[in-house]
Amino acid sequence: MAETMKLELTQEWDKTFPKSEKVNHRKVTFHNRYGITLAADLYEPEGAEGKLPAIAVCGPFGAVKEQSSGLYAQTMAERGFLTMAFDPSFTGESGGTPRYMASPDINTEDFQAAVDFLSVQENVDAEKIGIIGICGWGGMALNVAALDTRIKATVASAMYDMSRVNANGYFDENDNSEDRYETRKALNAQRIVDYRNGSYELGGGVVDPLPEDAPFFVKDYYDYYKTFRGYHARSLNSNGGWNKIGCMSFMNQPILCYSDEIRSAVLVMHGEKAHSCYFSKDAFQKLQGGNKELLLIPDAVHTDLYDKKDVIPFDKLEQFFKENLK
């Protein structure tokens, strides 16, 4: 068994949302099967007794647990679930070097490692574990739901298919072999630069200052990651972004190959006006069985599902998990 590395964790409350008095919060660490130690916030309902249903939460892609995933986790803990929001490998307070890398394999494993951790907690019912993935982690959540039979219920919120967007560009505008070849060529040239320099060049987070002609979804990202609403010092999207080659392997490794074999319950939810809504609609078409649901939220854009508690359908999430974690 891998030895867990000791992480230096921030103990003060540094979230982008206020602390709930209905929930007990503490920092925890766990490790994945690659020996990477992950940092997480554990949220337990105040006064809860016995073994609880549990939910692991991660996302958005390039965010940290102090942002959207923590808000989801704390809110679901207020509703009776033991929850955990974690930083994926190579980001936030979690371990793993080099920093700011993403991997379809390792990041899927991060979710499974969270299930490992929750399964052995004395106050968790190991037969009642679910997951929530937001944005790029929504796609990862579907990937892990196809792999991990311990997961009884999955929510993909405002999901991105990171394999698809890396291989095809936004709205599949670069879905042809020539454009993919040019992307690969540029990324491989960057590998040489990075190797020679002995460091990885950052790709840049959300653009700042915001150009007047920026697409509406870039403005939405700016409004979240670059303002008081969602800025966090450890968030990649708020700052320097992923390494330029950080997401390269997604191009060659489709993460949703076996999503049609997910037997457990899945709720795919998305803002109807989100630029990214096509990811959820298409992913849902592949899901099989009567325990799958697509929920489109009227008038909502992508980032509305990050933190707007009057838009995120928490009543629906509570109902979904109570029905499927029993």
Side-chain angles (χ1 to χ4, degrees), residues 54-166:
I55 304 169
V57 192
C58 195
F61 200 75
V64 287
K65 64 189 181 305
E66 289 75 19
Q67 296 171 306
S68 181
S69 60
L71 174 68
Y72 272 71
Q74 180 175 261
T75 306
M76 295 308 292
E78 289 178 330
R79 292 164 181 258
F81 302 89
L82 184 144
T83 64
M84 182 171 74
F86 65 91
D87 285 329
S89 296
F90 314 115
T91 59
E93 291 188 304
S94 286
T97 56
R99 307 302 289 167
Y100 314 139
M101 290 292 184
S103 160
D105 178 21
I106 295 173
N107 294 149
T108 298
E109 163 61 22
D110 290 343
F111 251 134
Q112 291 200 272
V115 176
D116 294 341
F117 174 85
L118 291 172
S119 295
V120 300
Q121 301 309 302
E122 289 186 2
N123 57 346
V124 168
D125 185 335
E127 296 300 313
K128 299 178 180 179
I129 294 178
I131 60 173
I132 299 173
I134 307 159
C135 182
W137 284 85
M140 224 78 75
L142 293 182
N143 193 39
V144 76
L147 183 63
D148 197 325
T149 56
R150 300 170 299 174
I151 294 169
K152 301 302 191 295
T154 298
V155 170
S157 177
M159 73 156 278
Y160 262 54
D161 177 344
M162 295 310 300
S163 294
R164 182 174 176 180
V165 75
N166 276 286

Side-chain angles (χ1 to χ4, degrees), residues 210-250:
L210 185 68
E212 283 187 22
D213 61 348
F216 80 90
F217 66 90
V218 175
K219 293 178 180 177
D220 291 338
Y221 283 135
Y222 183 94
D223 188 48
Y224 181 76
Y225 286 109
K226 292 292 190 177
T227 69
F228 180 77
R229 173 184 164 197
Y231 177 85
H232 197 279
R234 289 191 294 274
S235 168
L236 282 67
N237 294 340
S238 289
N239 297 283
W242 297 94
N243 295 329
K244 285 187 174 178
I245 65 165
C247 302
M248 184 177 184
S249 60
F250 281 95

